[in-house]
Amino acid sequence: IEVSVSLLPAAGLIDINQAQPEVLFALFLLAGRLPQEQARLLAESVVESRTAGRRFDAVEDLLRVPGASRTLLDSVRDFIVVGESGQGGMSWSLAPDEILDVLAVANPAQADAVRARRSSPGAGGQTTSRSSAYRADAIVRYGDKTWLRRRWISIETSSSTALPWRYTRTEPPRVLMEDSFLLGRSFDA
């Protein structure tokens, strides 16, 4: 069985509890593949929901927003973070290229600046930073299907274990579709 594992800092993902409307619009437009007007209306609905005091505690909470669908959620779930895993703020310098493409629509100058820093001599193509939360993706190729097992990890000490981390959420395994950007990425185990 072929297994690939990756860790992604949660700060490199779009926190729908904190993202600016322009970023949400770009997310729904690019990753969600919604028409412009529908993407704009959904971004406004997310902001209105937050303003009304409704916090997103799981990515599936996006389904409570008028205009969101299961298809949309499946399209954006690899780009977003919510709840406890999203605390600590967004850092575009930690975002994967696919998420920087979203930023490029919302704020082209900022996306260009991040890409320039990554490509500058000595940057090694990536920005390193300590993060307190990560998304761990295990991709398992089994038979003719590719499965994803995702866990959210918080780096912290606990009196109940000697480990320096704890799992904050474990998502059910799911089959990845061929157009998932996760399938095209190279992972280091």
Side-chain angles (χ1 to χ4, degrees), residues 146 175-181 183:
T146 302
V175 174
L176 290 178
M177 304 316 248
E178 291 301 320
D179 64 347
S180 172
F181 88 81
L183 290 177

Side-chain angles (χ1 to χ4, degrees), residues 77 138 140 146-150 170-176:
R77 75 181 317 134
V140 180
T146 302
W147 293 83
L148 170 67
R149 180 60 178 227
R150 178 169 286 163
T170 300
E171 296 181 13
R174 62 182 164 104
V175 174
L176 290 178

